[in-house]
Amino acid sequence: MIQLIRGFKDILPGEVELWQFIENQTTSLFENFGFKDIRIPIMERTELFSRSIGEETDIVEKEMYTFPDRKGDLITLRPEATASIVRSYIQHRMYATDPVQKLYTIGPMFRRERPQKGRYRQFYQIDAEVFGVSSPLMDAQIMFMLMTLFTRLSVTDCTAKINSLGCPDCRPAFTVGLSQLLSAKADSLCEDCSRRSARNPLRVLDCKVPACKAAMADAPSILDFLCPDCRSHFDSVMRHLTLLGVSFELDKRLVRGLDYYTRTAFEIQTTLLGAQSAIAGGGRYDSLVKALGGPDIPAIGFAIGVDRLAEIAAQSHPDLTRKPKVFIAALGEISLTLAFEWVSKLAAAGIHAEMDMAGRSLKSQMKQADRLGAGHVLISGDAELEKGQVLLRNMATKEQVPVPVKDLVEEMRNRFA
Ligand code: HAM
């Protein structure tokens, strides 16, 4: 038997209802904040990701699904959505009508990481991006939107961590100081960090390996290096988060795994998922639109890991599967034909109805109705039909009432729609 690929998974009925619920909540909330849906391709030219996420990140170095297409062009299954949305924003000159654009998308991403609980090779993100607003008010507002979504989904065991990564003016001074510390501690760093320390020193700051954590204990804080503009921007983000009642923790070690960030960076973390503690992450990337060939337009965004969010939300939403409003139990040839007509018309009229098409016994049809969780069963047998009626049984109270066959669909619609 052919099995699915390691790190990939099916989202089955029973589980998928929660995903739909999350998606519906997201869509309605984000649209209230003025975001518009955008659908971007699953594959892009490899160069788009290497140039935006950064050649020296784990994602680009070792996690991308990259292959030559039949003509030899290198293409990559998207590991995230930001780069593609930026490309689309530039390519369609969205800034020409209005530089301010708020966009969101929901879909699968691909990273060849080591699979474990909460970490998959195909995973899903809810991604939101805002272009053309440099004000710290936007940083606070999108974090508020994100936390509001979590509250609506009853996901409360989570903490927002924030940091500022400065800008091209103030960050280099910090990176130089950090690099000096890293060369002094070279012997105590893990293999990954020894490699990172020369090329991407910031990443060493959030390494989870205990030896690296210890080596970084007295590392300087990037916040002490911020230029006055970055400092006041960050202070304003925090003030406005407080004003909106969003609680957060300052985390001077938070650096994120993608290179495009400037200024505000944040992550929402939970203790409920073991090692994979981040359920969402994001931040500003004021230089990326220009770096990818567009005008000099600031931007900010975030992505939520839907697989992780669903795992947590499942604890407060145990069963969202849709149950039929009515099951029609038919006995005899005439009843079966009538049931067939009623079920079809009820479904078309917006009422979920089910029946048994195999002509089984009443007992087994009642069992089937029970298994499906039907709220009511319409029992249609020859004896009832002769009186021009069927019996409507409430499965919870076991109460049965006769219902006239004439205008049955209309009658059911009045009761259940
Ligand atoms: P990211 O931190 O790489 O950011 O991913 C965002 C979220 O996606 C993570 O917090 C996590 O919940 C989920 N995630 C990442 N990798 C996996 C995986 N292998 N399995 C399951 N879930 C995963 C970004 O992708 C940025 N594009 C966010 C952003 C948008 N920044 C600005 N705009």
Side-chain angles (χ1 to χ4, degrees):
M1 199 232 118
I2 301 171
Q3 302 268 342
L4 47 64
I5 311 168
R6 190 165 124 83
F8 287 61
K9 63 175 180 171
D10 301 316
I11 301 150
L12 302 175
E15 199 185 346
V16 87
E17 293 75 9
L18 176 59
W19 284 62
Q20 292 174 327
F21 177 68
I22 292 174
E23 287 161 10
N24 293 339
Q25 291 289 322
T26 301
T27 305
S28 74
L29 179 71
F30 285 16
E31 295 196 353
N32 285 343
F33 278 87
F35 282 76
K36 298 200 170 110
D37 194 354
I38 181 172
R39 312 277 166 105
I40 45 171
I42 300 282
M43 294 192 279
E44 298 267 5
R45 290 176 200 285
T46 302
E47 195 194 349
L48 174 68
F49 300 116
S50 48
R51 275 177 51 196
S52 52
I53 297 169
E55 297 279 2
E56 265 122 44
T57 55
D58 286 352
I59 298 177
V60 172
E61 268 183 353
K62 50 187 187 192
E63 293 168 2
M64 296 202 307
Y65 283 95
T66 297
F67 50 91
D69 76 358
R70 286 176 185 268
K71 286 228 170 106
D73 296 329
L74 274 190
I75 49 179
T76 295
L77 289 178
R78 62 183 188 192
E80 57 120 47
T82 311
S84 308
I85 296 182
V86 173
R87 180 206 40 74
S88 181
Y89 178 79
I90 300 170
Q91 182 170 347
H92 301 289
R93 296 172 49 82
M94 289 187 210
Y95 50 84
T97 33
D98 184 354
V100 180
Q101 298 284 339
K102 299 186 220 174
L103 305 167
Y104 77 95
T105 198
I106 305 177
M109 309 294 154
F110 305 84
R111 296 184 194 173
R112 201 178 187 289
E113 296 189 76
R114 198 165 51 76
Q116 54 174 236
K117 185 177 160 52
R119 190 158 75 195
Y120 310 100
R121 290 178 169 176
Q122 174 174 339
F123 60 98
Y124 291 74
Q125 284 188 344
I126 294 169
D127 183 278
E129 313 289 350
V130 179
F131 295 94
V133 184
S134 61
S135 166
L137 300 188
M138 186 51 80
D139 306 40
Q141 190 174 63
I142 65 162
M143 285 184 70
F144 173 70
M145 178 172 89
L146 178 57
M147 297 312 271
T148 304
L149 178 65
F150 287 172
T151 310
R152 284 203 186 168
L153 298 170
S154 310
V155 171
T156 45
D157 189 310
C158 57
T159 315
K161 305 242 170 134
I162 73 165
N163 194 16
S164 174
L165 300 178
C167 66
D169 287 338
C170 55
R171 197 190 304 167
F174 172 72
T175 321
V176 168
L178 186 64
S179 297
Q180 282 162 0
L181 177 77
L182 291 176
S183 0
K185 306 259 182 179
D187 293 344
S188 19
L189 301 178
C190 74
E191 206 180 301
D192 275 344
C193 286
S194 306
R195 193 165 39 82
R196 285 177 189 137
S197 56
R199 297 157 66 189
N200 200 350
L202 281 187
R203 290 295 292 158
V204 181
L205 281 174
D206 74 348
C207 178
K208 308 283 180 295
V209 174
C212 298
K213 271 187 164 174
M216 289 295 100
D218 46 5
S221 163
I222 189 161
L223 297 174
D224 296 331
F225 288 77
L226 296 184
C227 61
D229 281 354
C230 286
R231 181 75 244 177
S232 80
H233 192 276
F234 191 50
D235 287 342
S236 175
V237 174
M238 292 191 285
R239 248 190 349 268
H240 288 95
L241 282 173
T242 308
L243 186 125
L244 291 176
V246 177
S247 51
F248 58 89
E249 281 175 20
L250 205 59
D251 182 354
K252 60 181 181 139
R253 291 286 155 79
L254 182 78
V255 291
R256 311 273 303 122
L258 306 97
D259 279 355
Y260 47 62
Y261 291 107
T262 50
R263 295 195 164 169
T264 316
F266 57 89
E267 248 171 47
I268 315 302
Q269 296 177 357
T270 172
T271 52
L272 301 174
L273 287 175
Q276 302 314 313
S277 58
I279 36 176
R284 257 192 188 282
Y285 49 96
D286 289 342
S287 319
L288 185 61
V289 176
K290 189 161 181 221
L292 289 180
D296 193 2
I297 288 178
I300 181 167
F302 64 78
I304 304 170
V306 185
D307 310 70
R308 295 180 190 177
L309 181 60
E311 270 172 50
I312 303 173
Q315 294 161 13
S316 38
H317 302 87
D319 185 11
L320 296 175
T321 45
R322 273 183 74 205
K323 316 274 192 267
K325 283 267 192 295
V326 53
F327 184 96
I328 305 186
L331 284 171
E333 204 56 39
I334 302 168
S335 285
L336 192 73
T337 310
L338 277 173
F340 165 70
E341 192 186 329
W342 290 331
V343 163
S344 310
K345 291 189 173 162
L346 281 170
I351 295 164
H352 180 185
E354 295 276 358
M355 68 179 288
D356 162 48
M357 292 186 174
R360 273 183 273 260
S361 71
L362 180 62
K363 195 172 159 206
S364 79
Q365 292 191 54
M366 292 310 280
K367 270 197 190 154
Q368 192 185 347
D370 216 32
R371 207 169 45 242
L372 292 171
H376 289 79
V377 177
L378 263 185
I379 304 165
S380 164
D382 292 347
E384 285 82 18
L385 281 182
E386 264 171 33
K387 289 189 245 162
Q389 63 185 42
V390 286
L391 289 175
L392 182 65
R393 180 180 173 88
N394 181 320
M395 294 297 273
T397 63
K398 313 281 181 231
E399 198 192 337
Q400 281 186 187
V401 290
V403 179
V405 167
K406 193 168 172 295
D407 299 329
L408 187 101
V409 171
E410 197 50 37
E411 167 68 22
M412 291 297 111
R413 268 182 75 171
N414 293 339
R415 277 178 196 254
F416 300 128

